[in-house]
Amino acid sequence: MHKPLVHLATWLFAFILSSIFIPALQAKSLRITAPGTGIDATPILLDALAQCVNEDIDELILESGRYDLYPDSAPERFVHVSNHDDGLRRTALAIWNVNNLTISGHGAKLIAHGQAFIPITIYNSSNIAIEGLTIDWATPLHMQGTVTGIDPENNSFTAHMLDAENVFINRGRILHGEGGSPLNGINDFTLKPNKEWWQNAEWTHWVDSQTGRPLPKSRQQPILEWHPRWKTPATFMDLGEGAFSFTNATASMPQVGDTFISKGLLMPNRMSPAIHMENASDIALKQVTIHHAGGMGLIAQRSSDITIDAMNVRLPEKSERWVTTTADATHFVLCKGDITVTNSYFEYMLDDALNVHGLSAVIRKQTGPASLECELIHFQQLGLEFAQPGERLRFSQQADLVPYGERKVKSYRKLNSSRFEVTFTEPIDTFLQPGSYLDNLDCNPDLTFSGNTVRNNRARSIIFSTAGKVVIENNRFEHGTMAAILIEGDANNWFESGPVEDVLIRNNTFVPLSPSSYILEFGPNEKGMKTLSDAPFHRNIRVTQNQFKLIGPRILHAHRIDGISFDANTVLTQADYVYSKAASIHIERSRNTKVSGNRFDLPNEPVLHISE
């Protein structure tokens, strides 16, 4: 007879529990609307981020629309951005010391203004997701002109300039930038940071505006301010209505329809990546579109576990531009964990779609029984944190890149941006060899690059040198100007370490642009070495079940590999195939080599050059 009372008590208890606990499990979100074209959205975004942190809000929602990002009220800090130019940088979405936050774009477009500006920075943060955002610049950070007429007798051509209102003739030079024509010249005393910048026409890349493909190597040439053949300065004239003339500015005459892209050498030209990460972990980027950046699309350093899905580094619709990022689309330095890039589209970069690597630091002197002073050599690696306590560093000979041992780090101390002192848990007196360098064995992430398209970019499609497990599959690599896949590593040139140990390249389609470049290039960079070693550098590389559509016979060039296989691949030709006697497969100073079961549908018998 008391059962109804029991049921009522149970129900009331459950109701009270749900009232207490369910709200705590519900995610909290903050929604902001686009302020309108020309209104600075930077303070709005910064205030919203602060509110998310202070109130434990899980999701920041940016409603569809345009968010203009100006540097005036943006926070700044001096940053060492790997493979970029160092300096003070301002940022709009400053995700600093933030954990457990999702930023949902819902089609929001972030439009950056000025140079030396990074739209999104993620520092010392974890579990951050960014979805559905588009990043672009109001004024492109490159000069671009399409040839509309030629005058071979006078070594002159006319070009229609993109963004012509920001192109100036100044003291005999053609310049592109913001801040008007620099009437008093360009110097550090009068330059207004973040407000003014200019670049000249040097560092040039050419595209066929009819096909959208990069021009072949034979038609790539710099635009010069001094003509070496005629021993005369180039002359530039503003003809009005966006047209400019270039006289004695090229070694050979371009063709009508050729488009040049110049990122310039007058000022630093890698100052404005779209996204920069440092000491970040568990980061996810989904459906992020990057139309432009004055540097890389994404640069991550000293970070771990990064997932990229459905990223688009591509030209805006109905745009006259022929460049997206003026450097790599994505780049990862001294990272750990898993790097995954899937279902993404990369086009018209002035460098690679992806690069994953560590660093090589040269040993300068021994400072104690277990201590060394070392140096980072490349100017765009200065300031990076090479090691942390507990990590393992490998010792190798700089002359031949042959390793001879490793030690665990006890302490690490920066001396300045280029030099550091590292102390190990064991003595090195009888261990250290002269002419050595170090690389970090614990900064070797696993890499998955799958379901992506890379097309029409200058340089390689992808580069990687990591000892983690690497899977490159189900991708399309089309019309890059150099190798589609480069596996390198060095301690004399780029100082990007190190050997790979487990690489699978499977079920990809390769459509090369140049008949003079190998599609696959595997082996350490031995530039400047007095002797070439036969000792293996890379190990265990398998190339299988891929399709190659050749424009020339070159497919694979490799050296110093222990365990390389090329099997079950299909090799076809393009309509404009160029015959030569070059080897299709050229493998040297390697062992445990296997080439079998491939189908070659070529007009001539493929040449295989394989030597131990």
Side-chain angles (χ1 to χ4, degrees):
M1 59 181 297
H2 298 291
K3 287 185 179 180
L5 292 176
V6 173
H7 290 318
L8 178 61
T10 303
W11 181 86
L12 285 172
F13 181 71
F15 176 78
I16 293 170
L17 283 177
S18 65
S19 300
I20 295 172
F21 292 107
I22 287 178
L25 296 175
Q26 291 178 340
K28 296 166 62 178
S29 64
L30 173 64
R31 188 181 300 268
I32 62 175
T33 58
T37 301
I39 298 174
D40 189 2
T42 299
I44 299 171
L45 295 177
L46 291 171
D47 288 345
L49 279 172
Q51 184 177 347
C52 289
V53 172
N54 294 333
E55 300 179 14
D56 293 325
I57 294 173
D58 305 284
E59 183 180 23
L60 173 59
I61 300 172
L62 309 185
E63 292 286 7
S64 178
R66 175 170 171 141
Y67 295 74
D68 282 285
L69 309 179
Y70 294 92
D72 305 68
S73 303
E76 70 179 10
R77 60 185 284 183
F78 190 97
V79 291
H80 296 284
V81 184
S82 184
N83 296 80
H84 285 73
D85 300 296
D86 295 344
L88 281 173
R89 297 292 179 269
R90 296 184 183 182
T91 188
L93 269 172
I95 306 170
W96 302 353
N97 305 303
V98 178
N99 300 314
N100 308 318
L101 178 65
T102 296
I103 299 177
S104 300
H106 289 248
K109 296 181 179 179
L110 308 184
I111 308 299
H113 294 258
Q115 200 189 39
F117 189 68
I118 307 175
I120 301 175
T121 52
I122 307 173
Y123 302 150
N124 304 313
S125 299
S126 65
N127 194 23
I128 304 296
I130 299 177
E131 303 172 354
L133 287 178
T134 295
I135 301 172
D136 201 355
W137 257 257
T139 299
L141 301 174
H142 68 283
M143 182 189 299
Q144 178 180 308
T146 299
V147 177
T148 57
I150 60 175
D151 181 3
E153 289 188 8
N154 295 300
N155 194 34
S156 179
F157 67 88
T158 302
H160 182 271
M161 304 299 291
L162 178 72
D163 191 40
E165 64 270 22
N166 289 312
V167 178
F168 315 100
I169 305 299
N170 182 269
R171 301 190 178 192
R173 285 173 151 175
I174 186 168
L175 301 179
H176 173 251
E178 292 183 280
S181 183
L183 300 178
N184 298 317
I186 300 173
N187 63 74
D188 292 336
F189 297 102
T190 60
L191 184 71
K192 299 176 183 176
N194 303 107
K195 296 285 190 179
E196 299 176 331
W197 62 270
W198 296 277
Q199 284 291 8
N200 59 11
E202 296 186 37
W203 204 109
T204 315
H205 173 65
W206 292 80
V207 173
D208 184 335
S209 64
Q210 301 301 311
T211 66
R213 298 180 186 177
L215 291 183
K217 287 182 181 180
S218 60
R219 291 171 59 194
Q220 293 285 348
Q221 58 179 329
I223 290 179
L224 307 168
E225 294 182 347
W226 172 266
H227 198 290
R229 183 189 302 172
W230 307 115
K231 308 297 182 185
T232 183
T235 57
F236 309 95
M237 291 182 61
D238 185 347
L239 305 178
E241 298 185 351
F244 287 75
S245 66
F246 295 69
T247 302
N248 293 327
T250 54
S252 61
M253 189 59 45
Q255 299 178 14
V256 172
D258 291 354
T259 295
F260 71 83
I261 298 144
S262 301
K263 63 180 181 180
L265 295 174
L266 184 63
M267 297 174 67
N269 60 27
R270 288 192 178 197
M271 300 178 71
S272 307
I275 304 171
H276 178 218
M277 299 180 194
E278 185 173 18
N279 293 321
S281 62
D282 297 302
I283 308 298
L285 304 180
K286 186 172 183 178
Q287 295 180 337
V288 172
T289 296
I290 299 173
H291 288 317
H292 187 55
M296 296 176 181
L298 163 67
I299 170 67
Q301 60 201 56
R302 266 291 172 188
S303 296
S304 62
D305 297 309
I306 301 168
T307 300
I308 297 172
D309 184 55
M311 174 179 275
N312 284 288
V313 178
R314 67 193 310 163
L315 301 173
E317 291 185 9
K318 300 179 181 179
S319 172
E320 295 182 7
R321 297 184 203 164
W322 285 113
V323 63
T324 53
T325 60
T326 63
D328 303 16
T330 66
H331 201 111
F332 306 86
V333 183
L334 289 173
C335 289
K336 299 181 179 182
D338 295 306
I339 294 173
T340 303
V341 182
T342 56
N343 308 313
S344 297
Y345 191 94
F346 306 101
E347 68 173 4
Y348 293 108
M349 301 81 63
L350 292 185
D351 224 312
D352 321 308
L354 171 134
N355 193 345
V356 180
H357 63 87
L359 300 181
S360 300
V362 176
I363 297 172
R364 290 307 185 196
K365 60 183 178 181
Q366 186 172 349
T367 56
S371 300
L372 295 172
E373 183 175 317
C374 306
E375 184 174 9
L376 298 173
I377 304 298
H378 195 280
F379 75 101
Q380 289 181 334
Q381 297 172 353
L382 303 184
L384 300 189
E385 186 180 32
F386 181 80
Q388 296 176 348
E391 293 179 338
R392 298 166 301 129
L393 303 186
R394 173 168 44 200
F395 290 69
S396 303
Q397 278 289 336
Q398 196 172 3
D400 55 16
L401 308 178
V402 175
Y404 61 86
E406 64 182 70
R407 287 289 188 271
K408 182 179 288 188
V409 176
K410 180 179 180 181
S411 65
Y412 173 85
R413 181 171 67 97
K414 275 188 181 181
L415 303 178
N416 49 49
S417 63
S418 62
R419 293 211 178 193
F420 61 86
E421 183 180 66
V422 59
T423 300
F424 300 98
T425 57
E426 301 174 65
I428 55 173
D429 291 301
T430 59
F431 169 75
L432 181 65
Q433 299 178 10
S436 297
Y437 73 95
L438 302 174
D439 70 304
N440 194 320
L441 289 172
D442 286 309
C443 292
N444 281 285
D446 292 341
L447 169 64
T448 299
F449 191 84
S450 177
N452 307 296
T453 296
V454 183
R455 63 189 292 269
N456 292 335
N457 66 297
R458 178 200 160 272
R460 289 80 28 183
S461 296
I462 61 174
I463 307 177
F464 53 88
S465 51
T466 174
K469 182 179 180 180
V470 177
V471 177
I472 310 296
E473 65 180 354
N474 303 322
N475 304 288
R476 183 176 179 87
F477 301 104
E478 180 179 304
H479 299 145
T481 63
M482 302 179 192
I485 301 178
L486 175 64
I487 304 175
E488 199 171 52
D490 76 282
N492 299 284
N493 187 27
W494 296 106
F495 293 87
E496 297 181 356
S497 64
V500 301
E501 296 182 357
D502 184 359
V503 177
L504 175 62
I505 300 171
R506 179 176 60 197
N507 199 33
N508 303 282
T509 298
F510 298 91
V511 186
L513 176 73
S514 172
S516 60
S517 296
Y518 277 94
I519 299 169
L520 308 175
E521 288 267 11
F522 307 150
N525 185 326
E526 297 176 320
K527 183 178 180 180
M529 290 187 178
K530 295 181 180 180
T531 59
L532 300 181
S533 173
D534 292 333
F537 186 78
H538 296 302
R539 288 174 170 80
N540 192 19
I541 303 175
R542 292 97 66 208
V543 181
T544 183
Q545 301 174 42
N546 301 281
Q547 184 179 82
F548 299 86
K549 298 181 179 180
L550 302 187
I551 194 170
R554 293 174 174 85
I555 303 171
L556 167 64
H557 183 272
H559 61 280
R560 292 184 63 180
I561 316 292
D562 183 0
I564 179 170
S565 63
F566 186 89
D567 66 272
N569 299 287
T570 300
V571 181
L572 309 173
T573 61
Q574 300 179 43
D576 48 356
Y577 179 86
V578 178
Y579 169 78
S580 79
K581 295 182 180 179
S584 292
I585 310 292
H586 188 158
I587 302 173
E588 58 183 338
R589 290 181 287 146
S590 298
R591 57 197 188 204
N592 298 316
T593 299
K594 176 186 175 185
V595 178
S596 65
N598 301 290
R599 174 193 164 198
F600 289 90
D601 188 3
L602 301 178
N604 54 288
E605 189 69 20
V607 176
L608 308 182
H609 181 97
I610 300 173
S611 62
E612 294 291 317

